[in-house]
Amino acid sequence: MNPFDDEYFMKQALAEARLAEEEEEVPIGAIIVCNNKIIARAHNQTERLADPTAHAEMLAITSAVSSLGAKYLTGCTLYVTVEPCVMCAGAIGWAQISVIVYGAPDEKRGFSLFAPKAFHPKAIVRYGILKDDCIALMQNFFKRKR
Amino acid sequence: MNPFDDEYFMKQALAEARLAEEEEEVPIGAIIVCNNKIIARAHNQTERLADPTAHAEMLAITSAVSSLGAKYLTGCTLYVTVEPCVMCAGAIGWAQISVIVYGAPDEKRGFSLFAPKAFHPKAIVRYGILKDDCIALMQNFFKRKR
């Protein structure tokens, strides 16, 4: 039995998403894992930083490369609660992240619609992990905002 | 006669690209213009920051929103010496930049190949401005690196 499975790490990304929710940010969280170790945690901060590029994945990538002192994240896995957008997918591609795991699909802004070939050609993608929790966070947030 | 035309501003982006070249970075420069005023200047810093997301356009967007204190750059024009990649195109879309002007095409990594619908649907795109200068900078850089 491996305690460090996709669900384990997605729960950590969900914990980040809940921090975003507490800060009135769109509740998306991301973590980056290298050899079963979490090397970066981040959540969406577009409101706080008033910066449309401050998505969870972007902040996690910048934090991870800084933590490793390397420009590439080959061999690392990114867990993110919602499907990455075009921008983040491009960043994931540049960082050469090997495995991308996301929870909820984003049918309006997701990379799979706009830039399906943004990742490294050998990258592995898994999705739907704790999907209901990831979706519920988003739906509750936007329901409250209306 | 308008002294503030595309060539005028592309020359400013080229000046940024030359700063990148001096720092041994891939020589790409970007500026953001609002009401004929340059509100942000940046050049590629992926090596210095050891961060694959530190492209000229990303740094210029973050600088411009910070300068304006606004999350969106509607009404602004981005000048960049080389066609934006998928990541930068996604960021340009989120920032709702109204006009995108680039010099050289990027046939390997350009957004037009991988994410042609990344910009705001009403965004205006112009390209080929001072193209030869933009290409020459890139070609000389990669020739020296070989």
Side-chain angles (χ1 to χ4, degrees):
Chain A
M1 231 188 84
N2 178 11
F4 299 118
D5 59 5
D6 280 351
E7 278 209 15
Y8 173 84
F9 288 120
M10 189 58 82
K11 276 179 189 161
Q12 307 292 315
L14 271 164
E16 281 295 320
R18 286 192 190 99
L19 291 180
E21 186 185 36
E22 283 170 22
E23 296 167 7
E24 295 295 321
E25 300 276 359
V26 175
I28 300 177
I31 63 162
I32 294 176
V33 174
C34 187
N35 297 326
N36 275 341
K37 204 180 142 195
I38 298 174
I39 60 167
R41 297 173 185 268
H43 55 270
N44 178 35
Q45 294 201 48
T46 50
E47 296 301 324
R48 181 191 252 177
L49 302 177
D51 184 346
T53 73
H55 286 195
E57 303 95 310
M58 301 300 290
L59 301 173
I61 289 170
T62 297
S63 167
V65 291
S66 161
S67 143
L68 289 185
K71 223 179 87 179
Y72 299 111
L73 299 172
T74 316
C76 294
T77 301
L78 170 84
Y79 290 86
V80 57
T81 55
V82 177
E83 180 184 348
C85 72
V86 173
M87 171 181 70
C88 293
I92 291 164
W94 284 116
Q96 300 185 14
I97 293 176
S98 298
V99 184
I100 298 97
V101 186
Y102 64 89
D106 181 349
E107 280 149 21
K108 280 192 189 158
R109 297 285 208 147
F111 79 95
S112 56
L113 194 65
F114 289 97
K117 292 186 178 173
F119 296 148
H120 189 279
K122 289 187 182 164
I124 294 163
V125 180
R126 297 193 289 272
Y127 55 91
I129 318 296
L130 301 182
K131 180 180 158 183
D132 294 344
D133 295 332
C134 297
I135 292 177
L137 260 178
M138 293 288 275
Q139 283 182 341
N140 291 339
F141 177 82
F142 287 109
K143 214 177 279 172
R144 276 206 327 276
K145 285 279 163 191
R146 250 180 252 134
Chain B
M1 232 186 85
N2 179 10
F4 299 118
D5 59 7
D6 280 352
E7 279 210 27
Y8 173 84
F9 287 119
M10 189 59 82
K11 276 180 190 162
Q12 307 292 315
L14 272 164
E16 280 296 320
R18 287 193 188 97
L19 291 179
E21 186 184 37
E22 283 170 22
E23 296 167 9
E24 294 296 318
E25 301 276 359
V26 175
I28 299 177
I31 64 162
I32 294 176
V33 175
C34 188
N35 297 328
N36 276 340
K37 204 181 143 195
I38 297 174
I39 60 167
R41 299 173 184 267
H43 55 270
N44 178 35
Q45 294 202 47
T46 50
E47 295 303 322
R48 179 191 254 179
L49 302 177
D51 183 345
T53 72
H55 285 194
E57 301 94 312
M58 301 299 290
L59 301 174
I61 289 170
T62 297
S63 167
V65 291
S66 161
S67 141
L68 288 185
K71 224 178 86 180
Y72 300 110
L73 299 172
T74 317
C76 294
T77 302
L78 170 85
Y79 289 86
V80 57
T81 55
V82 178
E83 181 183 348
C85 73
V86 173
M87 170 182 71
C88 293
I92 290 164
W94 283 117
Q96 301 186 13
I97 292 177
S98 299
V99 184
I100 298 97
V101 185
Y102 64 89
D106 181 349
E107 279 148 20
K108 281 192 188 156
R109 297 284 210 149
F111 79 94
S112 55
L113 195 65
F114 289 97
K117 290 185 179 174
F119 297 147
H120 190 278
K122 289 189 182 164
I124 294 163
V125 180
R126 295 192 291 270
Y127 55 92
I129 317 298
L130 301 181
K131 181 180 160 185
D132 293 344
D133 294 332
C134 297
I135 292 177
L137 259 177
M138 293 288 276
Q139 284 182 341
N140 292 338
F141 177 82
F142 287 109
K143 215 177 279 174
R144 275 206 329 274
K145 284 279 162 191
R146 250 183 252 133

